Amino acid sequence: MTDAVRLDSVSKTFGTHAAVRSLSLAVPTGRIHGFIGPNGSGKTTTLRMILHILLPDSGTVEVLGRTGTRAASDRIGYLPEERGLYKKMKVLDQLVYYGALKGLQRGAARRAGREWLERLGLSAWADRKVETLSKGMAQKVQFISTVLHAPELLILDEPFSGLDPVNLQALRDAILELSRGGTTILFSTHDMAMAERMCDHLCMIFRGEKVLDGTLEEIQQRYGDDTVRLRADGAREALAGNPAVVAVLDMGRWQEVRLQRGADPQSLLSALAARTRVHHFEVARPSLHDIFVRIAGPEAAAQPAADGHGHGAPA
Amino acid sequence: MTKAFTVARTEYLRAVRTRGFILGVLMMPVLMSGGFIATRISEKTADVSDRRFAVVDPDGRVAAALITAAAGRNDRGIWSSDEPRRQERPRFVPEPYEPAPGEDPVLALSERVRRGELFGFLLVGADALLPPGSGQGDDQLLWHTNTPTYDELPDWIRDEVNELARSSRFTAAGLDEALVDRLSSRVWVRTMGLARVSATGEVRKASQSSEAATIGVPLIFSMLLFVLVMSTAPALLNTVLEEKMQKIAEVLVATVDPFDLLLGKLLATASVALTLSVIYVGAGLIFARTSDVVPAAMLDAITPATLAFYVLFQVLALLSYGAIFAAIGAACTELQDAQNLMGPLMIMLMMPMFFMMPVLQHPDSPVSRIVSLIPTATPVLMMMRVSAPPGPAWWELLAALVITGGFTIFCVWAGGRIFRIGILAQGQSPSWRRLWTWLRAG
């Protein structure tokens, strides 16, 4: 399988700040590739280099078989994190403009725009100005402007932020359908649950360096099965002081517990049962959320930036 | 490049389809002719109440002459020419005033003016009608009023008293006034153009020079050029700033090369200004040909070359000014920052206005020649010189085109480099130093 995007030892520095350091990355064609990392880790800079908005200081960026040019830009759709639409322009006119910029004939752009508006329940708004739309509607219009020209590569930066569940579902269905149709999707998000559910492949970048790369199974396997997911009355208090517990990720009704290496989950269960009522106890692989926090949580953040390896990963 | 045209097309239609554009098209002639219209309106609705005034004239001759002249004027000089006749000007009503013994007429009459009984009063010196130096020195005419801005009445009084004084002085000297008038009539100088031989050998005589053609045409075209450039190019700063603040810029530059984006915007701006030019110049020419208000010499002075230079200079000005405005817009994240950066530039861009009248009066002076070759001033001032006889030398025109063309290319190139980096830069207050860094790095 060929790669839709291939970055080879790419670095980018702004002044004295190294935004991306020797990053190599391959996004296989036709897959949904999750791109995660904390704020300021270099995700947007990487996406901008893929889009040729920024040029790398060193290394090569190959997109849809083209290296170092904008030649592929009409085959890419890009939804930036911060949405940008002309407030005073009518919805359909805006879509036609963005479509035309991507090389579509105006008539074809108009037809495609109407189809997508119909599909996402916005037909009635085609001739309204963007400023009259709700935030969720504007986000869907922005999404349509990204996919109108049927791109081969779709780059989505936080596509679901601020959407209600109904709109989120509609947008996710549309993305999955495009994926089934063969579109490669590079998808940057902070929503770990969404990334777990949607992405075939994940890459995490932290302080400008790649710290995770693989399928969810591969990544979870790497982080072992030292995790217990449990629900118990007064779980926090019951877990307090237990020497086998390294960290507790408190999700309110649920707790995700990381055990000392070699610790026996059965001992933890016994200790808990002796102190409180346990409703659920499951030995599990760590969630992506937990892995993310292990790598980029406050403890890791306190380490010097030069320590580019290890980031909480087991030896 | 295709994308630059796509940008240009959309931006152009966005600009000309707005209500603001249509209103602007209609408003500009209204604003430019506002003074004329205001005068006409004030004439139509003028205050025509009587201007009653007292005349303190010990001799009595001035008062009598004013009463006679006012009667004639009130009968014939204050009415509209069309029927039914309508009073357009106020009647002047002089009334002789003889102070009571021991009374100070100025004090007494001032009080009457304050009470609104009189508009003013005239004090006539005993020697007012005598030739200077021949009386006791009491030759003043003093007009007292609390409405000194209304000068029609004192002007009329001055003219009438002068007429009377002149007539009485001639009579006293035993001279025939009509003969003196004839002998002292002025000699006039007419300004003519130059004669020339046409291509067919025909001699074309020099024709009388028309101020409307030699001053009106250069002034109209250079002003129109300046006004249209300054009313369209600065909009680029706002649209680019808007795209940046509303995060549209990132979507655009992911699709279009920033230089193509800038070029598209410049083409759209130039097209908007040319559209306005076509509307105004076209309407002006149609009006000039169909009405007899505009002198024929003025129409003759508008040649195809005038129009061609107008288009050329306007496009050059729009591309260079527009690139500067767009680059500033791209470099800023707030309007306040943009205004701070624009301050020094505006002085350069306003320069043609400062030199417009000196250049019009002395188009071939060394100063005119030098300032019309300074790139930010060239389009407006060279436009003025091209349409004001005798016009610049060919080498000056060539130099102007080369220098301004080069300056335009530099502005678009430099603007493109600043635009490329600035359009995505956030959270940094721009400075000239930073723009310079971007210019070198872009």
Side-chain angles (χ1 to χ4, degrees):
Chain A
M1 182 182 287
T2 56
D3 293 325
V5 178
R6 177 177 287 277
L7 270 61
D8 188 17
S9 304
V10 167
S11 298
K12 182 72 186 176
T13 301
F14 297 106
T16 55
H17 172 66
V20 175
R21 303 179 201 192
S22 196
L23 178 67
S24 294
L25 176 70
V27 178
T29 301
R31 297 289 180 85
I32 301 183
H33 197 103
F35 196 43
I36 60 176
N39 293 329
S41 59
K43 293 196 303 291
T44 300
T45 302
T46 305
L47 294 183
R48 284 178 174 179
M49 287 193 286
I50 292 171
L51 288 158
H52 212 75
I53 297 174
L54 293 176
L55 299 179
D57 298 334
S58 61
T60 55
V61 178
E62 184 188 307
V63 182
L64 300 175
R66 313 300 286 261
T67 307
T69 71
R70 282 181 165 267
S73 74
D74 286 357
R75 295 153 63 200
I76 305 173
Y78 174 47
L79 181 77
E81 182 175 5
E82 294 184 272
R83 319 294 183 230
L85 295 169
Y86 292 98
K87 287 183 184 169
K88 299 283 178 194
M89 213 187 248
K90 288 179 183 170
V91 168
L92 191 58
D93 288 347
Q94 185 126 209
L95 294 177
V96 171
Y97 179 39
Y98 281 169
L101 283 178
K102 286 291 189 185
L104 284 185
Q105 294 292 324
R106 285 182 176 265
R110 193 166 289 275
R111 278 193 299 279
R114 285 198 185 282
E115 280 169 23
W116 270 102
L117 288 171
E118 174 82 40
R119 186 166 162 185
L120 293 182
L122 290 172
S123 291
W125 299 83
D127 294 320
R128 303 271 191 91
K129 287 185 178 172
V130 168
E131 63 189 353
T132 63
L133 303 182
S134 70
K135 190 182 170 194
M137 289 175 180
Q139 199 150 331
K140 287 200 282 187
V141 171
Q142 183 92 49
F143 175 77
I144 295 174
S145 74
T146 310
V147 298
L148 192 69
H149 59 294
E152 293 167 46
L153 170 64
L154 190 55
I155 298 176
L156 307 170
D157 198 352
E158 293 292 346
F160 304 116
S161 70
L163 285 180
D164 64 53
V166 176
N167 281 321
L168 189 148
Q169 179 69 40
L171 217 59
R172 189 173 55 198
D173 289 349
I175 293 170
L176 291 174
E177 197 179 320
L178 286 167
S179 173
R180 282 194 292 275
T183 307
T184 306
I185 292 160
L186 179 56
F187 161 30
S188 161
T189 184
H190 286 131
D191 184 342
M192 295 302 117
M194 186 66 81
E196 275 184 356
R197 282 200 295 271
M198 284 187 71
C199 299
D200 304 313
H201 205 100
L202 284 156
C203 168
M204 180 171 172
I205 168 169
F206 181 52
R207 289 177 175 159
E209 291 182 81
K210 186 170 74 179
V211 289
L212 286 179
D213 195 3
T215 62
L216 181 64
E217 289 72 27
E218 286 167 356
I219 290 168
Q220 285 177 324
Q221 207 162 29
R222 186 176 161 205
Y223 278 79
D225 47 9
D226 59 354
T227 300
V228 168
R229 201 164 293 139
L230 63 89
R231 190 157 65 85
D233 294 341
R236 282 193 70 83
E237 294 73 23
L239 287 165
N242 191 314
V245 174
V246 174
V248 178
L249 189 62
D250 192 355
M251 298 180 184
R253 293 181 64 230
W254 289 82
Q255 277 73 36
E256 203 167 282
V257 177
R258 180 148 44 105
L259 299 180
Q260 286 279 10
R261 191 169 305 154
D264 182 4
Q266 285 300 327
S267 306
L268 177 68
L269 177 60
S270 304
L272 274 177
R275 298 179 72 174
T276 187
R277 174 178 288 274
V278 178
H279 301 286
H280 184 100
F281 190 94
E282 174 192 0
V283 178
R285 285 180 173 169
S287 66
L288 193 56
H289 185 107
D290 183 33
I291 295 171
F292 187 101
V293 173
R294 284 193 212 180
I295 295 172
E299 285 174 28
Q303 291 175 22
D307 177 17
H309 302 284
H311 297 300
Chain B
M1 197 62 188
T2 316
K3 292 190 177 181
F5 286 119
T6 305
V7 173
R9 180 184 195 270
T10 304
E11 297 258 330
Y12 173 76
L13 292 176
R14 258 183 85 200
V16 300
R17 277 181 181 165
T18 58
R19 228 172 279 152
F21 178 84
I22 296 161
L23 271 178
V25 168
L26 298 174
M27 283 305 289
M28 182 140 137
V30 173
L31 288 174
M32 289 182 86
S33 54
F36 176 73
I37 292 168
T39 311
R40 293 290 298 203
I41 290 172
S42 68
E43 275 174 6
K44 296 262 184 203
T45 57
D47 174 13
V48 292
S49 58
D50 288 355
R51 302 289 192 259
R52 189 174 294 280
F53 63 100
V55 183
V56 183
D57 178 16
D59 179 54
R61 282 197 295 160
V62 169
L66 289 178
I67 289 168
T68 309
R73 176 184 175 279
N74 294 346
D75 191 32
R76 295 181 299 276
I78 60 173
W79 305 95
S80 63
S81 52
D82 48 342
E83 291 292 337
R85 67 179 203 161
R86 184 170 40 82
Q87 187 179 343
E88 286 184 328
R89 321 188 86 80
R91 285 166 12 109
F92 293 161
V93 187
E95 56 180 52
Y97 182 79
E98 206 159 314
E103 183 194 46
D104 179 356
V106 175
L107 206 56
L109 291 172
S110 292
E111 206 47 47
R112 286 186 64 193
V113 172
R114 277 192 204 97
R115 287 201 300 270
E117 295 169 16
L118 294 174
F119 190 77
F121 55 94
L122 179 71
L123 300 183
V124 183
D127 305 329
L129 299 179
L130 296 178
S134 56
Q136 302 299 311
D138 183 16
D139 58 356
Q140 286 190 335
L141 280 177
L142 299 175
W143 170 245
H144 293 257
T145 182
N146 59 355
T147 318
T149 49
Y150 182 77
D151 54 9
E152 190 176 341
L153 178 52
D155 286 353
W156 175 81
I157 291 171
R158 184 197 59 212
D159 291 347
E160 293 301 331
V161 175
N162 267 293
E163 189 64 31
L164 176 65
R166 191 178 139 90
S167 173
S168 67
R169 287 170 193 172
F170 282 145
T171 308
L175 296 170
D176 177 359
E177 189 182 353
L179 178 65
V180 172
D181 276 350
R182 200 157 56 81
L183 296 180
S184 56
S185 71
R186 293 178 65 84
V187 177
W188 296 99
V189 175
R190 284 199 299 166
T191 307
M192 307 292 287
L194 301 179
R196 59 184 164 151
V197 181
S198 71
T200 56
E202 185 188 350
V203 175
R204 293 188 63 178
K205 285 185 181 169
S207 57
Q208 184 169 350
S209 165
S210 153
E211 275 200 357
T214 56
I215 294 177
V217 170
L219 204 57
I220 288 172
F221 274 90
S222 50
M223 277 296 286
L224 186 65
L225 194 150
F226 183 77
V227 168
L228 287 186
V229 168
M230 291 309 282
S231 61
T232 50
L236 265 175
L237 188 150
N238 293 329
T239 55
V240 171
L241 197 58
E242 181 203 354
E243 283 172 354
K244 194 172 163 178
M245 285 162 74
Q246 295 183 12
K247 314 296 177 191
I248 301 166
E250 184 160 2
V251 181
L252 293 176
V253 296
T255 306
V256 189
D257 183 89
F259 186 77
D260 282 348
L261 184 59
L262 173 66
L263 205 58
K265 287 176 176 299
L266 291 176
L267 288 176
T269 306
S271 305
V272 170
L274 287 175
T275 303
L276 286 168
S277 296
V278 167
I279 292 172
Y280 292 138
V281 175
L285 288 176
I286 291 169
F287 175 74
R289 287 194 189 284
T290 52
S291 81
D292 51 2
V293 178
V294 180
M298 196 167 175
L299 262 178
D300 293 342
I302 303 170
T303 62
T306 314
L307 298 177
F309 276 117
Y310 175 81
V311 171
L312 185 63
F313 282 129
Q314 186 166 70
V315 169
L316 288 175
L318 280 165
L319 294 182
S320 53
Y321 289 20
I324 293 172
F325 280 112
I328 300 266
C332 299
T333 42
E334 287 180 31
L335 197 56
Q336 179 73 44
D337 292 337
Q339 283 164 346
N340 291 342
L341 277 184
M342 278 315 297
L345 274 177
M346 282 309 280
I347 295 173
M348 287 297 290
L349 301 183
M350 291 298 288
M351 203 172 77
M353 282 303 283
F354 308 147
F355 286 95
M356 211 174 247
M357 289 322 286
V359 169
L360 187 60
Q361 282 163 354
H362 309 286
D364 280 342
S365 72
V367 172
S368 298
R369 289 182 162 180
I370 291 168
V371 293
S372 62
L373 289 179
I374 296 174
T376 52
T378 298
V380 174
L381 296 183
M382 204 44 104
M383 182 68 231
M384 179 168 266
R385 291 188 61 201
V386 161
S387 47
W394 67 267
W395 62 265
E396 283 184 275
L397 209 47
L398 186 66
L401 290 175
V402 169
I403 292 172
T404 316
F407 176 70
T408 303
I409 291 169
F410 170 77
C411 284
V412 174
W413 172 81
R417 289 174 79 88
I418 293 171
F419 189 86
R420 183 183 290 277
I421 297 182
I423 194 78
L424 290 175
Q426 295 287 346
Q428 296 173 315
S429 255
S431 62
W432 288 106
R433 193 190 173 93
R434 178 161 290 132
L435 294 191
W436 174 244
T437 315
W438 290 353
L439 176 63
R440 287 167 56 200

